[in-house]
Every structure is written in C-alpha cells, then in structure tokens.
Amino acid sequence: MAGKDIDYHAEHIKELAKKLNWHTDCKGRLTALIDSAADQHTLASRKSVSELFYDRGILVNTNVDKQLFSGIASVKSYFAEGRIKIFSTCVNLIRELKSYWWGKGDRPIKKDDHALDALRYYIVSKPQPPKLPQTKVSEIQKDKRRLMNKRR
C-alpha cells in the first residue's frame, strides 16, 4: 500500500485485527513487528513511524532479527515442514513470492519485498521452544522398549 499515510495503515491494521480477533495488551493496544527502519524520523513529522503507530494504538516492536540468509533458511524450512499456510487473501505476499529471485553474488534482489521481509521477521523473531536435554538410554531401557513394541 505504497503512498498511504500512517492513519490509513493504522486503521487498516485495526480493521484486520478486529476481523481476526487479535488480542490487545492490557492497555488495549495491538502489538506488531515492524522493520527497524520505523525508528527513523520521517520528513513529514518530528516523530518516527513507530511513534506514530503508538499514538494510534499500535505498539510496534522494531527489535527484529534481520539476518538475511539464516532468515531465508528459516522461512524455507517452515515451508518444507508444512508449518506455514498462506491464504489466498495474502495477495502481496503471493505476488512477492512469485517474483522473488537471486541476483549477482548470491544475494536476493531487494525490490518489492516488504511482505517477504515481514514474514521473515515474524518467523525468526518467534521464541523457540526450549531444547530438552538428551539423556542416554540404558541397555535395560532399550530392552524394555523393544518388549513393549512387540506387545503392541
């Protein structure tokens, strides 16, 4: 939605949030991830984009992991594992996925990729489940498992 102002985007986000029944924080604000560039001040305002969203009831988190290659690898693994679903209404994301390509020097072409960046930020910013410590299985435990599997 290039060319639209913060008011337009904030209202659009709020409408979507209402339709999708998104939760708000204890002060009634929506929370969202946004590119760290949103902390820069705009030419049209003394406030940054993140501050302007905050004024409109949307608390944006600009502390996103922007690692390009590990982020792309994470997104690819989500697709490969079937851990992500893209709805037909995500027209910008679908268009960007179809037009995504690699340029010289094994780097993706950074053009018209805002939805792809948002997807990457979301996936790499999700908290990972804790890894359980691996314990060694004794020979007795292995034998018990074999016997139990035979009975099934």
Side-chain angles (χ1 to χ4, degrees):
M1 301 305 239
K4 302 289 186 184
D5 63 8
I6 296 291
D7 289 322
Y8 171 86
H9 289 293
E11 284 307 310
H12 189 69
I13 290 168
K14 287 178 182 178
E15 287 171 17
L16 283 173
K18 193 173 186 176
K19 285 180 188 175
L20 297 171
N21 200 25
W22 285 349
H23 300 283
T24 57
D25 69 7
C26 61
K27 295 183 181 178
R29 293 178 302 225
L30 291 169
T31 57
L33 295 172
I34 194 169
D35 192 299
S36 58
D39 278 338
Q40 299 171 1
H41 290 269
T42 67
L43 296 174
S45 174
R46 290 185 173 171
K47 293 184 175 185
S48 68
V49 171
S50 56
E51 290 170 321
L52 293 169
F53 272 117
Y54 181 82
D55 290 347
R56 286 149 182 86
I58 302 171
L59 180 60
V60 294
N61 177 0
T62 58
N63 188 21
V64 294
D65 183 346
K66 294 181 79 167
Q67 292 293 321
L68 183 64
F69 294 110
S70 63
I72 291 171
S74 295
V75 172
K76 285 172 79 172
S77 73
Y78 266 63
F79 277 116
E81 296 166 6
R83 294 174 60 195
I84 189 166
K85 304 282 187 245
I86 298 178
F87 296 94
S88 60
T89 54
C90 300
V91 292
N92 291 328
L93 181 58
I94 293 167
R95 178 181 42 76
E96 290 178 20
L97 280 165
K98 288 179 177 179
S99 65
Y100 192 77
W101 58 287
W102 293 80
K104 295 178 183 174
D106 288 334
R107 296 196 65 81
I109 302 300
K110 295 294 292 167
K111 181 182 176 202
D112 194 25
D113 62 351
H114 296 297
L116 286 172
D117 283 346
L119 176 62
R120 179 169 47 93
Y121 299 159
Y122 172 73
I123 287 175
V124 298
S125 298
K126 286 181 64 170
Q128 297 299 314
K131 295 196 179 205
L132 299 174
Q134 294 203 359
T135 58
K136 288 193 172 196
V137 179
S138 72
E139 289 301 317
I140 294 171
Q141 290 170 320
K142 287 179 187 177
D143 194 42
K144 280 183 180 179
R145 285 185 188 159
R146 273 192 297 267
L147 291 171
M148 287 175 63
N149 287 334
K150 276 185 180 179
R151 295 193 99 201
R152 290 182 191 169

